[in-house]
Amino acid sequence: MPKAVVPEEKRRRRRPTKSGTVLSEELIVETALRMLREHGSAGLTARRLGLALDADPSTLYRYFRGMDDLTLAIGDALIGQALRGWEPTGRWRADLRAIGLRLHAAYLAHPQAAVLTTNRVTGRPNELAADEAVLDVLRTAGFPLADTVRIYHAFIDQTLAFAALDAASLALPSAALHADEDMWSSTYARLPRSTHPRIAEAAPLLAGRMVESAYPTALEMLVDSAEARLTALLSRTSGR
């Protein structure tokens, strides 16, 4: 049975660690992000996290129900970083694009953490704020509720899927990442037209594009599709 989580106000009254550090949920998450960046997901354990915080590992369970609960907090923290400073402009295309690019960038800034969290639903405040923001952008733009939910679904899943894909590449060992990127010029670019005419034709462009994320392009295509849908709906309404 999971241990009860101590309310935040009670945690703050507890004594600091031996090194004088006062633990908090935010500090634990920040330390966990650093450990993920330095050691990957295999290096993030309660024991190692306790050592990094100069605290008994059991202390962590006063803040989180377990390591999975900490994983959800890490994912929510990344979403919080993405939303920090964002304000809606009232231009729905620009607002939707900005949210997507911010989320994608926040995950890629912590690729090991992104690999661990992009497929999770945290139900925590930052995730709820992001979902509320996307839904509000679409509803305010004039999309009917059913279309809003459909576009929201595609937008969120596309953003998270590209974040997971791109983060997984960045989380690779440097040698493996460079080997993958070099494949476009070392192998694809050398295929003969007699056997692979389309690849040979596109090879120079592939070599330049395939080492970059396709997310901005995919996001623009999604926004274009949404705008076309909204234009059709408004035209149909005005024509009645």
Side-chain angles (χ1 to χ4, degrees), residues 169 172-188 211:
S169 293
L172 286 172
S174 180
L177 176 60
H178 292 318
D180 282 1
E181 292 178 343
D182 289 344
M183 198 69 69
W184 296 103
S185 55
S186 65
T187 299
Y188 280 76
V211 296

Side-chain angles (χ1 to χ4, degrees), residues 80-88 102:
Q81 291 179 13
L83 292 180
R84 192 172 299 144
W86 178 80
E87 294 290 343
R102 279 170 165 266

Side-chain angles (χ1 to χ4, degrees), residues 113 156 166:
I156 291 295
D166 296 336

Side-chain angles (χ1 to χ4, degrees), residues 3 11 22-23 27 37 42 46 70 82 91 94 97-98 102 105 108 125 150 159 169 194 196 199 201-202 205:
K3 298 180 180 179
R11 300 175 205 156
V22 177
L23 292 182
L27 176 62
R37 184 169 56 251
L70 173 59
R91 301 187 303 274
R97 189 186 300 111
R102 279 170 165 266
L108 263 58
R150 183 176 62 87
T159 301
S169 293
S194 58
H196 299 82
I199 292 179
E201 174 187 45
L205 295 177

Side-chain angles (χ1 to χ4, degrees), residues 14 25 41 67 78 102 108 117 122 126 166 176 180 195 204 214:
R14 294 197 168 269
E25 182 173 320
S41 57
M67 293 302 289
L78 296 183
R102 279 170 165 266
L108 263 58
T117 63
T122 75
N126 291 318
D166 296 336
D180 282 1
T195 58

Side-chain angles (χ1 to χ4, degrees), residues 140-162:
T140 303
F143 288 96
L145 184 57
D147 287 283
T148 293
V149 172
R150 183 176 62 87
I151 295 167
Y152 157 83
H153 184 194
F155 171 82
I156 291 295
D157 279 11
Q158 176 178 278
T159 301
L160 294 176
F162 270 101

